[in-house]
Amino acid sequence: MSNSEEKRIARTAQAKGFRLEKVGKGAHHGRFAIVNIAQGSRVTSSAIGAEFTFSLQEADDWLTRN
């Protein structure tokens, strides 16, 4: 996905009370965390071995469903 898609998904997250954060280090490099702004906690994903991180497409899908 492109940078413009990332920005669109970040705006969608913000509108729903979440924040999209890049995960920059380790095995999860290139993945994203969705953070609940009110609680300050990360949302869990269904990815095996990456329980709190999403690909950009997975983040978009999760935000669409919730």
Side-chain angles (χ1 to χ4, degrees), residues 10-59:
R11 284 191 303 270
T12 300
Q14 180 98 22
K16 293 185 173 201
F18 297 98
R19 183 175 62 243
L20 187 69
E21 294 181 347
K22 286 185 180 181
V23 178
K25 295 184 179 182
H28 305 294
H29 176 75
R31 294 183 62 85
F32 296 84
I34 299 174
V35 179
N36 183 316
I37 294 172
Q39 298 173 351
S41 60
R42 289 184 172 184
V43 173
T44 58
S45 71
S46 60
I48 297 171
E51 62 232 9
F52 293 102
T53 62
F54 298 78
S55 69
L56 199 52
Q57 183 62 53
E58 291 167 344

